Amino acid sequence: MRLTRTALLACLLATLPACKKDEARDPGSTAKPAPKATTAPPSAPAVATATAEAPAPEPAVAEPTNEPSAAAPKPGAAGTAYLGVSGTGLVRVDGGKAKTLLEHKYPINDIVVDHRGVVYAAAIGGAWSIAGDKVTSLPEAGRSTYHRHLAIAPDGTLWTLDHETAFRWDRKAWTEVPKSTFEGQLMNDIAVDRAGRVWVATTDHLWRFDGKSWTKLDSKFAGTKKPYFRTIVAAPSGEVYTSSIEGVFVYEGDAWQKVRIKGSSSILTPDEIAISADGRMATSSGMDDVAIRPPAGDLRRLALKKTGAKVRQADVMAVDGSGRTWLRTDNGVVILDGDGKLVQQWTPGTVAGITGKIETIAVVGNGPTLPTLTDAARGTVTGKVVMKGKPIAGAAVEICTSPASMIMFEKTPCTGSSVAFTGVTAKDGTFKIAGVPVGSYGFAVKPKRTWFVSSWGLEECCTTLENGQEYDIGSINLEKLE
């Protein structure tokens, strides 16, 4: 799945050196790095306003390869969940147990599973296929090593997006769609429908590839010239859903219709949609509520705090075949049943083998047998706040999973977090915060009147924390005092 808006803004706006690219951290910093983790489709309906040719070949059933397959679970049997865990990589949950399949230090951006059960995952640095326990690194797609979004065609063809280009992998080679095809707009999401047509959502338009050419669709249905399309999802039954600032829309019967969400006043801009094989649907806006829909009926808004889940922010990731909705949150994974009742919450460190922040989730079939939860290990986090090598005394320090950027928080960067810990630096600039559970965290520091946020590089500080252990993050270097 995707880099959260909060994390992205924090990284763009924070003024600490730690919010720079991981390898380009301030050379004056002594902060310790994160622990190293070990059939041709039918013709498109006539709704186009313009057409652009692209050199992508017509979809066709891929030829057999020597790549091993992993059969999907039988109907009625328990399935599998795949998690992108920050600082760890790709983790599989199966039979109530978690196992790391791919070690990678950067967050997994997206995960998809093809009709053979082969898993594809992408992150900064590349893309991989996983069949069973075998992990295969895919070749570089031309100049791009940053696949943000993935989609699988019915024939097993993999489509990917970076910020400005689409790519096609036929299990042999990559084909690139020129960025001029999409008029240089920011690429937000990609999907492939049951007929094999490829759909791309850019900021202000939707595009569709019918096997021969890309078509820019008429977006008047969104009711604004600047819809800011966020997500596009192909339902197993054939419909296509998209979200924009005006709500959720469905393409069915050659026309777009707005999807009604009961009690949706607070879900203003849904940016995640998930649909199961039997038509169950869930959507979210990254806040503390979601909307769910049974196989027949309307989407119904659900406030997560009323379920007993301890979260402040949540994104819908998947709806499995047993009707459960899987949410990535600021406090682990939340799983709801078909009626929206809380089934389980995996707070950090309560599932053996998962200690980092979960960024994306893909669920196969009916989903896995859920694990038995345990108490999270707790230890003490220590560090030092300095500026130009001099210690800063009396600075407030906050630790939480996703400290907000300076333009977003109300009182402090961790005000909106479900779990937060605080401390104050001593005369020598050191701080010590006890009782911190194992997990991924960001840091915020206020030396005087202004908070400085660091959510890059230090968030993996505590994924190896053991009971009673003291973990020293090293020095946090400030560039100025305010």
Side-chain angles (χ1 to χ4, degrees), residues 339-425:
D339 296 322
K341 296 179 181 179
L342 180 63
V343 176
Q344 203 172 60
Q345 180 173 1
W346 304 353
T347 55
T350 58
V351 176
I354 302 176
T355 56
K357 184 179 180 181
I358 295 170
E359 299 286 356
T360 188
I361 305 170
V363 184
V364 178
N366 292 319
T369 299
L370 299 181
T372 299
L373 303 184
T374 61
D375 292 334
R378 290 179 178 270
T380 299
V381 176
T382 64
K384 188 174 184 178
V385 178
V386 301
M387 188 181 75
K388 297 180 179 180
K390 295 182 178 180
I392 305 299
V397 179
E398 285 193 335
I399 302 176
C400 57
T401 53
S402 298
S405 62
M406 289 184 292
I407 65 170
M408 297 179 66
F409 56 77
E410 297 176 0
K411 296 181 180 180
T412 74
C414 291
T415 296
S417 297
S418 54
V419 178
F421 305 89
T422 62
V424 178
T425 59

Side-chain angles (χ1 to χ4, degrees), residues 92-179:
R92 179 179 64 208
V93 176
D94 186 17
K97 297 182 179 181
K99 179 179 180 179
T100 299
L101 301 177
L102 167 66
E103 295 184 353
H104 195 65
K105 66 178 180 178
Y106 295 115
I108 301 294
N109 294 325
D110 207 355
I111 306 168
V112 294
V113 185
D114 72 9
H115 63 282
R116 304 168 299 155
V118 174
V119 180
Y120 291 91
I124 295 175
W128 301 264
S129 67
I130 302 96
D133 289 347
K134 181 180 179 180
V135 178
T136 302
S137 180
L138 302 185
E140 290 187 6
R143 56 176 174 74
S144 179
T145 59
Y146 184 34
H147 303 276
R148 298 172 58 236
H149 304 301
L150 309 179
I152 283 287
D155 65 5
T157 298
L158 176 69
W159 288 83
T160 81
L161 290 183
D162 62 12
H163 286 288
E164 58 184 17
T165 311
F167 301 88
R168 177 182 183 271
W169 169 255
D170 63 1
R171 300 185 222 164
K172 295 180 179 179
W174 290 99
T175 302
E176 179 177 338
V177 181
K179 63 181 180 180

Side-chain angles (χ1 to χ4, degrees), residues 2 6 10 19 40 43 46 167 170 187-188 190 291 324 328 330 344 406 418 436 440:
R2 302 157 191 154
T6 299
C19 198
S43 299
F167 301 88
D170 63 1
M187 313 285 277
N188 289 331
I190 188 168
R324 299 177 300 193
R328 173 194 67 191
D330 65 325
Q344 203 172 60
M406 289 184 292
S418 54
V436 179
S440 299

